[in-house]
């Protein structure tokens, strides 16, 4: 094998590679596993960068942190563990028994030999600690997962609405302001949502963030512009991601921050190659009515013999992505930052769309589970079509993990393994969007 390529750590856009030149710390490590990607520049250059993962203890942040650490990047997780406290508030644990963060990190050190750092910081409240971390760690990239991410939780009460807005908008703004104050050239990769667009398509494919428009300017003729795709959020949570979008546009324009905003669909699956390496690395599996997302909920419900809770007619069409592809997309986003002064780079991070009732029927067929139409606790369109452009990640080499029986069964098996930890009373979605809605409780269940 030839001499490993190493890198002098500068800004992520101006990384200098050279053969055999020794540099400090983890920058010398070689990227060992590029997942399912076709060749890309980072892989060939074997570049290692410093990455702070805000929200790295969560459902997406944990497997993404392990994936990036496995690639040889130097990772520090920043998390205030608020999600674990919300488990206590709701009395609804992850179906999988997640280890405390220090055990998780020790297990990763044991199985991989890689160190992941941890900082307990409330990104929304403790600006000074966040700034100090940026100054001390000097990350090339900050990945921002640290938000309250459940739409039903955000709609439970005025207090939950206010918490979600305060937490999410402040977390994002603190990060952007701290980067400017630090004077560093840090690439921000933010986890946004497909839900900023709403789920109607106006008879077209939803583009990646920006829409070409022609405005009839009367005597001045037709004016052509590119604007952010008009937003239509369906919950207070989704609304916070719309507000984030405007913060990003402003800071990219005013301060030339380099920002990538990933408009992600609904994640399904639970394990990644890294979380499978030790029981103590197991990822969260949310199944309760607030945090459980539709496909994982259906698979868990099938595993424990609970009727599949289709809200309303189940005509809602949504975008999906498997958790392993999530981690690969994060890698691709880290490796392909926008240039300084460029507008926010927006990717639609999804691989396929499905109608809710089709998913329920498919899982019912596969497992013999009963499907039940329950009242829809949400104020949302009963039926919608959804067509989405996702060329950016495909062009960068993502090979999508499509919904297929084997993978569905794999998730159901995980749910079966931990079925004795399930609390059936936590399954129905009870958070109502308005007083007109009713709880999504199947007949015969409480
Ligand atoms: P999660 O709740 O499991 O993880 C979020 C993590 O952020 C938690 O560990 C939490 O403790 C931490 N956090 C929250 N507020 C914080 C704060 N103020 N300071 C420090 N840490 C804080 O959520 P997830 O499913 O991993 O989602 C991560 C991101 O991805 C979210 O922003 C979400 O909007 C987005 N996303 C998730 C999905 C999905 O299906 N799970 C889909 C699309 C987009
Ligand atoms: N649904 C059911 N039955 C259930 C649960 C949900 O029919 O038991 C329906 C909902 O009514 C909704 C659809 O399934 O129409 C999706 O609900 P979800 O809870 O799976 O997803 P959502 O609330 O949109 O939120 C999730 C994540 C969020 C992310 C979003 C991506 O929690 O963080 O932003 O997916 S997206 O949907 O593309 O906007």
């Amino acid at each position: 094998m030839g001499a490993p390529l190493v890198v002098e750590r500068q800004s992520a856009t101006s990384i200098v590679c050279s053969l055999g030149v020794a540099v400090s710390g983890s920058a010398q490590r070689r990227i060992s596993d590029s997942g399912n990607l076709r060749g890309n520049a980072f892989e060939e250059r074997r570049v290692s960068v410093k990455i702070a993962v805000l929200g790295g203890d969560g459902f997406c942040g944990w497997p993404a942190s392990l994936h990036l650490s496995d690639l040889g990047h130097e990772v520090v997780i920043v998390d205030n563990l608020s999600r674990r406290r919300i488990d206590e508030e709701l009395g609804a644990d992850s179906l999988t028994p997640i280890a405390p963060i220090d055990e998780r990190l020790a297990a990763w050190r044991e199985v991989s030999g890689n160190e992941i750092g941890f900082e307990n910081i409330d990104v929304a409240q403790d600006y000074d600690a966040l700034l100090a971390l940026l100054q001390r760690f000097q990350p090339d990239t900050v990945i921002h997962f640290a938000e309250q991410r459940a739409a039903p939780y955000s709609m439970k009460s005025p207090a939950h609405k206010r918490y979600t807005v305060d937490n999410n908008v402040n977390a994002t703004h603190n990060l952007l302001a701290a980067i400017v104050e630090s004077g560093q050239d840090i690439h921000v990769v933010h986890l946004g949502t497909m839900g900023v667009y709403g789920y109607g398509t106006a008879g077209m494919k939803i583009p990646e963030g920006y829409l070409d428009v022609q405005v009839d300017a009367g005597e001045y003729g037709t004016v052509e512009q590119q604007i952010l795709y008009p937003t239509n959020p369906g919950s207070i949570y989704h609304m916070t991601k719309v507000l984030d979008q405007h913060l990003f546009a402003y800071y990219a324009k005013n301060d030339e921050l380099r920002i990538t905003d990933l408009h992600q669909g609904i994640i399904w699956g639970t394990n990644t190659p890294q979380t499978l390496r030790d029981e103590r690395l197991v990822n969260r599996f949310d199944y309760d009515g607030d945090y459980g997302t539709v496909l994982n909920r259906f698979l868990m419900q099938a595993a424990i013999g609970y009727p599949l809770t289709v809200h309303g007619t189940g005509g809602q069409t949504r975008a999906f992505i498997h958790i392993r592809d999530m981690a690969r997309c994060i890698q691709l986003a880290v490796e392909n930052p926008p240039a300084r002064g460029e507008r926010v780079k927006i990717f639609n991070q999804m691989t396929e769309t499905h109608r809710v009732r089709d998913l329920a029927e498919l899982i019912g067929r596969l497992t013999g589970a009963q499907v039940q139409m329950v009242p829809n606790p949400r104020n949302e369109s009963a039926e919608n079509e959804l067509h989405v452009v996702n060329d950016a990640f495909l062009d960068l080499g993502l090979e999508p993990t499509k919904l297929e029986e084997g993978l569905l069964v794999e998730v159901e098996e995980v749910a079966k393994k931990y079925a004795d930890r399930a609390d059936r009373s936590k399954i129905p979605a009870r958070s109502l969007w308005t007083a007109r809605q009713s709880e999504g409780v199947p007949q015969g269940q409480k």
Side-chain angles (χ1 to χ4, degrees), residues 163-445:
Y163 165 72
T164 303
V165 171
D166 287 352
N167 188 63
N168 294 5
V169 178
N170 277 328
T172 299
H173 188 255
N174 279 351
L175 172 63
L176 299 173
I179 291 176
V180 174
E181 188 172 348
S182 77
Q184 294 167 52
D185 180 17
I186 297 171
H187 174 210
V188 175
V189 176
H190 171 253
L191 272 291
T193 176
M194 285 297 300
V196 297
Y197 305 121
Y199 310 103
T201 60
M204 60 183 280
K205 280 187 160 188
I206 294 181
E208 306 207 67
Y210 300 96
L211 182 66
D212 294 323
V213 293
Q214 292 186 335
V215 182
D216 178 0
E219 59 184 296
Y220 301 106
T222 303
V223 177
E224 297 197 350
Q225 278 202 0
Q226 264 199 338
I227 58 168
L228 277 171
Y229 191 88
T231 60
N232 186 15
S235 71
I236 291 294
Y237 153 71
H238 288 99
M239 170 60 88
T240 64
K241 297 287 182 176
V242 170
L243 300 174
D244 283 348
Q245 223 185 209
H246 291 289
L247 291 172
F248 294 139
Y250 178 78
Y251 275 90
K253 178 189 71 170
N254 194 62
D255 301 281
E256 300 194 334
L257 293 196
R258 294 181 297 118
I259 301 169
T260 301
D261 197 6
L262 305 173
H263 289 186
Q264 184 169 253
I266 303 171
I267 305 268
W268 68 284
T270 184
N271 285 315
T272 62
Q274 290 78 26
T275 65
L276 281 170
R277 282 162 76 175
D278 190 291
E279 281 271 351
R280 293 166 295 170
L281 299 174
V282 73
N283 198 19
R284 298 188 66 87
F285 192 130
D286 295 311
Y287 69 92
D288 63 281
D290 288 317
Y291 274 88
T293 51
V294 65
L295 184 48
N296 276 6
R297 263 164 73 76
F298 287 172
L299 290 163
M300 177 275 178
Q301 291 166 351
I304 67 159
Y306 192 96
L308 310 191
T309 51
V310 172
H311 292 166
T313 61
Q316 309 92 317
T317 307
R318 294 290 182 271
F320 290 84
I321 180 166
H322 191 271
I323 193 150
R324 291 175 204 168
D325 287 356
M326 177 279 299
R328 292 181 193 126
C329 286
I330 299 288
Q331 176 194 345
L332 286 171
V334 168
E335 293 171 354
N336 293 280
R340 223 178 147 84
E342 205 178 300
R343 71 178 182 188
V344 177
K345 212 171 185 180
I346 300 177
F347 293 78
N348 290 339
Q349 186 163 313
M350 51 73 67
T351 53
E352 52 196 325
T353 60
H354 295 282
R355 204 175 283 277
V356 167
R357 64 169 169 263
D358 295 342
L359 291 176
E361 277 162 25
L362 172 67
I363 294 166
R365 263 200 319 277
L366 264 175
T367 64
Q370 183 209 342
V371 177
Q372 252 199 50
M373 306 296 189
V374 299
N376 193 344
R378 306 184 186 205
N379 186 8
E380 62 184 359
S381 300
E383 305 272 332
N384 71 283
E385 299 294 324
L386 185 59
H387 305 286
V388 181
V389 174
N390 65 343
D391 295 345
F393 275 127
L394 298 178
D395 290 349
L396 287 174
L398 179 74
E399 291 172 0
T401 307
K402 289 291 178 74
L403 203 81
E404 45 115 331
E405 287 189 10
L407 282 170
L408 290 170
V409 171
E410 194 181 300
V411 180
E412 198 209 356
E413 291 299 322
V414 174
K416 274 192 183 144
K417 180 171 174 193
Y418 299 107
D420 61 330
R421 288 173 50 86
D423 179 345
R424 297 169 80 92
S425 73
K426 299 296 177 190
I427 294 178
R430 300 183 197 274
S431 172
L432 306 183
W433 261 232
T434 73
R436 296 188 303 279
Q437 268 76 39
S438 305
E439 295 181 353
V441 186
Q443 276 175 0
Q445 308 288 330

Side-chain angles (χ1 to χ4, degrees), residues 16-38:
V16 179
C17 294
S18 56
L19 267 175
V21 180
V23 291
S24 64
S26 68
Q28 291 181 47
R29 274 184 266 145
R30 291 185 44 209
I31 291 174
S32 53
D33 165 21
S34 61
N36 205 15
L37 301 170
R38 292 194 288 268

